[in-house]
């Protein structure tokens, strides 16, 4: 795949929102350079890039796609961009736009709720905190950096106003979204009868219940464990199998160059 320096995708590598954007670009075989954002340490840089000074309200989030002087700040906009630029089957077909948008909203709320479960588990795992550094940070240094890593993770929880004590509410919200998915799947095995972005958002939602295979989203073992909600995974094993099937059939290899 030839490098396209014009397209740069800033991601939080394990995040389902970032995976949605990668999936949409990869689906259309649009090459891009992938740049990892570091929560907390990368906040100022990200805000500067997005033109959101510290004083301006609103959260600075990734994925962000930089292309031809444009800055796309939302996974939904990136998926639409990919559909506009790419030649593969549309992920958001015009006639299903409203329906796909509704599933996107449902996945957003459920992922927002699941985030509290993941962050809670990350904070409780020394191994996951150690794995959260970029590859260049030497192994022996990581335990020594834990107070900073833990501080950064707690800061992240505040950024998203997460209530880390309440696990019942997020689990209920996630279970409701998954029940809606189960009801929608029917005999086609697709949320809307054929493969669309609605399948992408619901498949990536399951990342916060039990992560997809490493060949799709690489995670360290402790991070994988922290992203796993055993009880939810057990109760929704049918949907995990569905997600794995969707990945096997529809997740094209990465078009990223870095
Ligand atoms: N509406 C945004 C939401 C993305 C979002 O919530 N991103 C989080 C993922 S955990 C993020 O940027 N986290 C990194 C940070 O806040 O530093 C989208 O769909 O792109």
């Amino acid at each position: 795949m030839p490098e396209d320096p014009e397209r740069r995708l800033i991601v939080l590598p394990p995040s389902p929102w970032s995976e949605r954007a990668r999936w949409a670009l990869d689906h259309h075989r649009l090459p891009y350079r992938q740049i990892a954002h570091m929560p907390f340490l990368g906040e100022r840089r990200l805000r500067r890039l997005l033109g959101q000074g510290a004083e301006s309200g609103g959260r600075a989030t990734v994925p962000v796609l930089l292309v031809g002087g444009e800055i796309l700040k939302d996974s939904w906009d990136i998926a639409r961009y990919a559909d506009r630029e790419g030649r593969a089957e549309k992920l958001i077909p015009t006639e299903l736009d409203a329906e796909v948008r509704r599933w996107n909203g449902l996945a957003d709320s459920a992922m927002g709720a699941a985030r509290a479960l993941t962050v809670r588990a990350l904070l409780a795992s020394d191994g996951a905190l150690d794995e959260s550094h970029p590859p260049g940070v030497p192994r022996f240094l990581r335990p020594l950096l834990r107070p900073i890593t833990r501080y950064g993770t707690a800061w992240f929880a505040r950024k998203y106003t997460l209530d880390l004590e309440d696990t019942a509410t997020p689990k209920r919200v996630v279970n409701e979204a998954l029940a809606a998915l189960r009801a929608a799947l029917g005999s086609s095995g697709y949320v809307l009868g054929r493969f669309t972005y609605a399948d992408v958002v619901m498949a990536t939602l399951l990342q916060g219940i039990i992560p997809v295979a490493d060949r799709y989203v690489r995670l360290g073992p402790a991070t994988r464990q922290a992203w796993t909600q055993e009880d939810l995974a057990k109760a929704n094993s049918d949907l995990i199998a569905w997600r794995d099937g969707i990945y096997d059939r529809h997740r094209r290899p990465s078009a990223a160059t870095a």
Side-chain angles (χ1 to χ4, degrees):
M1 187 84 45
E3 181 163 347
D4 183 350
E6 292 305 326
R7 236 179 250 120
R8 283 176 296 156
L9 184 69
I10 304 169
V11 293
L12 179 59
S15 163
W17 284 277
S18 292
E19 171 63 353
R20 290 174 177 182
R22 282 192 302 251
W23 194 331
L25 293 170
D26 294 339
H27 173 81
H28 284 292
R29 299 198 167 95
L30 297 171
Y32 55 94
R33 194 147 65 81
Q34 193 170 200
I35 299 163
H37 159 72
M38 281 277 288
F40 180 53
L41 294 178
E43 175 77 9
R44 278 175 68 164
R45 184 169 158 231
L46 182 63
R47 294 192 82 89
R48 219 177 311 121
L49 177 77
L50 298 179
Q52 291 176 235
E55 68 293 340
S56 78
R59 270 182 208 127
T61 63
V62 293
V64 172
L65 181 68
L66 307 171
V67 58
E70 246 195 297
I71 304 183
L72 303 180
K73 302 180 187 180
D74 195 272
S75 51
W76 174 261
D77 295 335
I78 297 169
R80 296 210 77 117
Y81 163 86
D83 260 3
R84 212 169 53 236
E85 291 292 309
R87 302 252 169 81
E89 196 95 345
K90 298 272 179 254
L91 291 171
I92 311 172
T94 314
E95 69 280 14
L96 294 175
D97 185 285
E99 279 294 284
V100 178
R101 201 185 277 272
R102 198 175 65 74
W103 283 99
N104 188 65
L106 183 74
D108 267 350
S109 328
M111 268 167 12
R115 173 156 45 206
L117 301 173
T118 309
V119 171
R120 179 187 159 94
L122 289 172
L123 276 169
S125 167
D126 286 349
L129 292 175
D130 292 354
E131 286 170 4
S132 70
H133 295 282
V137 176
R139 217 151 270 282
F140 77 90
L141 212 53
R142 296 174 180 221
L144 303 174
L145 291 171
R146 260 178 224 155
I148 299 169
T149 326
R150 188 167 281 115
Y151 181 87
T153 309
W155 171 91
F156 184 85
R158 285 197 300 280
K159 173 172 175 179
Y160 290 93
T161 55
L162 304 178
D163 178 353
L164 300 180
E165 298 310 313
D166 175 17
T167 56
T169 308
K171 285 184 183 185
R172 182 178 46 73
V173 172
V174 169
N175 265 325
E176 281 169 10
L178 295 182
L181 169 63
R182 185 174 290 111
L185 284 178
S187 58
S188 73
Y190 295 103
V191 175
L192 297 172
R194 63 180 152 118
F195 180 64
T196 67
Y197 192 61
D199 299 293
V200 171
V201 297
M202 294 312 284
T204 51
L205 163 61
L206 287 155
Q207 182 73 1
I209 310 307
I210 191 163
V212 73
D214 244 13
R215 64 181 177 281
Y216 296 116
V217 179
R218 186 161 323 143
L219 301 177
T223 309
R224 174 168 290 275
Q225 187 56 45
W227 278 75
T228 301
Q229 302 298 325
E230 305 280 0
D231 49 349
L232 291 177
K234 219 164 167 192
N236 294 288
S237 56
D238 56 331
L239 298 178
I240 306 295
W242 167 80
R243 183 271 313 269
D244 291 345
I246 285 285
Y247 260 84
D248 287 346
R249 288 195 302 284
H250 294 284
R251 185 67 178 92
R252 287 198 173 139
S254 174
T257 52

